[in-house]
Amino acid sequence: MSTPHSLGILDKMEFPSAGKFRPGWDTGVLAPMLQFLNETKAPLIVNPYPYFDTNAETVDFCAFRPNKGKFDPVTKINYRNQFDWLMDGTFSAMKALGFTDIEIVAGETGWPTIGEPFQTWVNVDTARNYNSKLVQHVNSGK
């Protein structure tokens, strides 16, 4: 048994290995919940939406398009997409509370097909690209 969580539970992170849950939520809400999930062998379900971190400069990274990536200096991983960045940041936040044996499951994700007029990256083509590349990425086993 579990419930999905918005990744609004994460504090702003410079890179995934520095991932932490928001203060107050970390020990007050999430640590007891993670303890319960650990005892019941249930997963933590999160809803990673890379779109929420997107702007004109980051759209390629967020939408699984070719890009130079973002480097995590602690793990030495060069991330090529925001989805993995968010999932690994969630793991680091759990690890900071002492939980490393709980499965993390993406409950839902996606990309909008229309946005504000200035959001030129919010369109059907980018949504199609994100969803198809996500499926390819997940099926790749990486």
Side-chain angles (χ1 to χ4, degrees), residues 5 16 24 33 37 42 49 55 57 61 96-97 99 104 111 125 142:
H5 298 276
M33 184 192 68
L37 295 177
Y49 280 95
N55 57 48
E57 290 79 42
F61 181 74
L97 294 177
F99 297 94
I104 304 170
W111 198 275
D125 289 335
K142 291 181 182 178

Side-chain angles (χ1 to χ4, degrees), residues 13-34:
M13 64 181 169
E14 190 174 348
F15 37 85
S17 63
K20 298 221 182 316
F21 293 118
R22 289 173 50 197
W25 282 78
D26 53 357
T27 56
V29 176
L30 293 163
M33 184 192 68
L34 291 168

Side-chain angles (χ1 to χ4, degrees), residues 114-122:
I114 192 168
E116 298 296 326
F118 69 90
Q119 294 175 308
T120 57
W121 58 89
V122 182

